[in-house]
Structure formats: C-alpha cells, structure tokens
C-alpha cells in the first residue's frame, strides 16, 4: 500500500447536508458578510473580519457555550459566489490548515441545499468538528428564518 493511500485511509471525513428555507444568495451573504456571520456563528461582537476572495484572510473569536473564547484564523482557498466556499482554518501546531468546504445549491428560488464537508486527522477531531458544524447549521437555519428576505 502506498503512503498516499494509507494517508487517505487514515483520515476521518464527515459530510452534513441541510435544506435551508432561504435562497442561496441569502445563505451566501449570511456566511460571507462579517456583520451577519457574527450574529449566528457564535462569534464575539466585533471580532469577525473577512476578505472573501481566493487567498483572502478571515478571523473571528468564537464564544463557547460556557463563555470561553478562542480565536480562529484562516484564509479562503476557493470562492464561487452563491455556490462554493472552501475555507482553510489555521490549526496551532499543524503545518497545513484544516479545510472545510461549503457548497450551496439553489433548489427552487426559495430554498438552498447546503453541504459542509471536512476531513480530520483523528476520529476525535472529526467528532468535535462535526458537532461544531451541526451547531453552526442549526444556528444559521434559525438566523435565516427570523431575518426578512432581501
């Protein structure tokens, strides 16, 4: 078995899919506009900065349910407006960023299917990332439901 196959086999992916009651453009704005992102993504007020373009940087300080705060940084690897966002997240002690892919697919002009994908190094990392992503999708859905169209 080659090292490449072994590495791929030893990775731990997850995929989450949801249909949101909002058009893709509205979902995209919620995910890529600092002011909106901060409202639903558990970010500390004023901590979100986004330069949404390939190679552009982002940062946010996330607030945990128990009130703890931790800073996150990274960059945008791929950007296809209203369709695809590939985000690199810096991980202390690791040479390569952790990569999350967010895909949007317009369903009927009124709803969008969102797919989040990430591959982690360990089952524990995957479980934590999947739990965090599930919380994000729950919060995003609630945010979109209460925000007027536009």
């Amino acid at each position: 078995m080659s090292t490449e196959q072994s590495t791929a086999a030893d990775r731990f992916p997850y995929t989450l899919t949801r249909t949101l009651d909002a058009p893709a453009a509205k979902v995209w704005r919620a995910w890529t506009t600092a002011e909106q992102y901060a409202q639903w993504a558990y970010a500390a007020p004023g901590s979100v900065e986004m330069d949404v373009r390939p190679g552009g940087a982002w940062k946010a300080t996330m607030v945990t349910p128990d009130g703890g705060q931790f800073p996150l940084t990274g960059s945008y690897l791929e950007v296809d407006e209203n369709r695809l966002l590939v985000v690199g997240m810096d991980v202390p002690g690791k040479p390569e960023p952790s990569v999350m892919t967010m895909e949007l697919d317009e369903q009927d002009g009124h709803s969008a299917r969102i797919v989040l994908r990430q591959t982690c190094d360990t089952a524990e990392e995957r479980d934590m990332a999947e739990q965090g992503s599930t919380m994000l999708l729950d919060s995003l859905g609630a945010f979109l439901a209460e925000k007027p169209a536009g």
Side-chain angles (χ1 to χ4, degrees):
M1 185 190 312
S2 78
T3 305
E4 221 172 287
Q5 289 172 330
S6 173
T7 302
D10 292 343
R11 305 286 313 256
F12 297 87
Y14 72 87
T15 301
L16 298 174
T17 304
R18 295 268 179 96
T19 299
L20 299 169
D21 190 19
K26 185 176 176 183
V27 177
W28 179 266
R29 281 192 304 277
W31 203 286
T32 61
T33 305
E35 301 78 35
Q36 288 191 34
Y37 185 85
Q39 292 177 51
W40 63 266
Y42 306 99
S47 72
V48 179
E49 295 179 22
M50 299 177 157
D51 181 8
V52 185
R53 61 183 172 84
W58 65 269
K59 71 178 187 175
T61 298
M62 307 314 289
V63 180
T64 61
D66 63 3
Q69 294 191 6
F70 60 98
L72 294 175
T73 59
S75 62
Y76 296 99
L77 306 175
E78 291 181 53
V79 177
D80 184 357
E81 189 171 347
N82 299 330
R83 295 190 53 218
L84 176 70
L85 193 63
V86 181
V87 180
M89 296 173 278
D90 299 327
V91 180
K94 292 191 179 183
E96 296 295 320
S98 177
V99 176
M100 178 192 288
T101 300
M102 187 265 293
E103 297 174 40
L104 285 173
D105 182 30
E106 187 79 38
Q107 296 295 293
D108 55 12
H110 303 333
S111 62
R113 183 174 65 105
I114 186 170
V115 179
L116 294 183
R117 289 188 175 87
Q118 188 172 358
T119 300
C120 301
D121 292 332
T122 68
E124 294 79 12
E125 286 177 14
R126 183 218 35 229
D127 293 347
M128 287 178 54
E130 187 172 11
Q131 180 182 20
S133 293
T134 297
M135 287 175 54
L136 281 177
L137 287 177
D138 290 346
S139 185
L140 175 61
F143 172 77
L144 292 169
E146 61 190 40
K147 187 163 176 52

